[in-house]
Amino acid sequence: MIDYDMTEQEMIEAFEKMLVPIKELYKEITTRGNPFCYPFIYTDADGDYLAYVAKLTKGFVDRVKKLDGVSVQILNHAFDKLPADKKPKKSFDFMRDVEALSELVIEVLTYCYRCYPDDAFQKLKNFFEADDCYYLDMLPQLQVKKWTLYRIRKGSFDKTKDGEMFHIPFEKRHLVDSQRYSIPGYPILYLAGSFFTAWCEMDKPDLNGLNFAEYKFKNEELFVDLGYPFHSTSIWEWYSLFVMYPLLIACMVRVKNPSAPFKPEYIMPQL
């Protein structure tokens, strides 16, 4: 508790001390070598993606439950300063929300493993649209403005046609393979934040004969950010990140069998 007879500086220091357990949890998520930090890899021969995600998310929920009562209360009040017209009808409850996302991820993946993809998608859709999109609005977001993105292609093609660098022509959709955020037969535009990242994503091809294009946003854009966390610094960002982390985990598991025709690690991101 804060003693209101303290000076302003003493109150700030006391509050910072109360934030330590929350910051420690964030540090675990972002420190390589920690089980809750990317990369998420399962290498055992008989390892199963669903079992791996279930074990990982359960472990994360158990870790979150170790937060002391003061930390949970701080997180529960993370959105108190939201304007009245922006506050959702559903009240914020940190522990409830973390457990809800963990249960959602496992239930959705279980539906897919039982060959009910439509039911899986509908459950995901209903969950995020419920209560005036309570959870949808909580997803980590990335604001983009004046940002240059890159795309590269190997081989020769008609460079007089701008569309050739945009995506695979629709009449060649049969060539479109499964990717983490796209399904076979549906051309999707993939861009990288740097030329180097684009090159790595292409498995570092020979630079000779490589073609690249820059893309720039004309307007400010807002994206759902399902990537690795690196910029969460405020209490409300920590709340959203921790709540959504079971979903992020399910989207960031590294593919165990890259040459296999079906990659279960793509199930959740594709949904």
Side-chain angles (χ1 to χ4, degrees):
M1 297 296 291
I2 294 178
D3 180 356
Y4 290 95
D5 290 327
M6 293 178 176
T7 65
E8 182 178 353
Q9 182 59 37
E10 287 173 336
M11 290 180 68
I12 292 173
E13 291 175 356
F15 186 68
E16 284 296 319
K17 187 175 181 179
M18 289 191 290
L19 289 178
V20 169
I22 299 173
K23 290 182 177 180
E24 287 179 348
L25 177 57
Y26 177 71
K27 186 177 180 181
E28 289 180 30
I29 289 176
T30 55
T31 300
R32 287 296 180 95
N34 187 280
F36 303 126
C37 177
Y38 178 85
F40 300 116
I41 307 171
Y42 63 115
T43 56
D44 53 307
D46 298 321
D48 177 80
Y49 166 69
L50 176 56
Y52 177 74
V53 172
K55 180 180 179 180
L56 204 56
T57 55
K58 181 182 182 303
F60 178 71
V61 172
D62 290 342
R63 170 62 183 88
V64 169
K65 287 181 177 180
K66 293 180 180 178
L67 286 173
D68 60 90
V70 173
S71 297
V72 173
Q73 282 302 310
I74 289 174
L75 289 165
N76 282 341
H77 291 282
F79 296 92
D80 283 357
K81 291 185 179 181
L82 273 178
D85 61 331
K86 298 291 184 181
K87 284 187 178 181
K89 296 177 181 178
K90 187 172 183 176
S91 62
F92 290 98
D93 184 322
F94 178 67
M95 291 307 308
R96 176 203 66 199
D97 291 341
V98 172
E99 291 182 324
L101 258 296
S102 177
E103 292 170 4
L104 172 75
V105 166
I106 303 308
E107 288 178 14
V108 166
L109 290 177
T110 300
Y111 272 124
C112 287
Y113 267 69
R114 293 175 178 173
C115 299
Y116 299 122
D118 290 344
D119 292 338
F121 177 76
Q122 197 60 46
K123 184 170 187 62
L124 198 68
K125 182 174 183 290
N126 291 343
F127 180 88
F128 280 105
E129 289 184 346
D131 300 305
D132 292 327
C133 298
Y134 172 78
Y135 288 107
L136 187 64
D137 290 339
M138 203 186 300
L139 277 168
Q141 298 174 356
L142 184 65
Q143 195 171 28
V144 175
K145 54 184 176 181
K146 296 182 179 179
W147 196 17
T148 301
L149 300 175
Y150 298 86
R151 173 174 171 78
I152 63 175
R153 278 191 65 182
K154 295 184 292 185
S156 60
F157 56 91
D158 188 352
K159 298 178 180 63
T160 63
K161 297 180 180 179
D162 292 339
E164 288 291 314
M165 277 299 291
F166 188 66
H167 61 67
I168 295 176
F170 287 107
E171 64 270 18
K172 296 181 180 180
R173 61 170 61 239
H174 60 281
L175 299 176
V176 179
D177 199 357
S178 177
Q179 300 293 332
R180 187 168 294 270
Y181 287 98
S182 57
I183 59 178
Y186 290 84
I188 297 294
L189 177 63
Y190 274 82
L191 300 173
S194 68
F195 179 85
F196 178 74
T197 301
W199 182 63
C200 289
E201 286 288 338
M202 293 290 288
D203 200 21
K204 302 178 181 179
D206 190 334
L207 294 177
N208 292 320
L210 201 62
N211 304 277
F212 78 95
E214 291 182 346
Y215 295 78
K216 295 182 180 180
F217 291 95
K218 291 183 177 180
N219 305 306
E220 185 175 294
E221 302 291 346
L222 193 64
F223 293 90
V224 168
D225 184 2
L226 298 179
Y228 185 64
F230 64 92
H231 61 275
S232 299
T233 56
S234 65
I235 298 173
W236 66 266
E237 284 181 313
W238 286 327
Y239 187 113
S240 298
L241 172 62
F242 297 153
V243 167
M244 292 296 159
Y245 207 59
L247 178 66
L248 300 188
I249 287 174
C251 290
M252 293 193 293
V253 176
R254 186 172 294 181
V255 173
K256 184 169 73 169
N257 299 302
S259 60
F262 173 68
K263 301 174 180 64
E265 299 85 358
Y266 290 174
I267 291 176
M268 185 61 77
Q270 287 178 353
L271 283 174

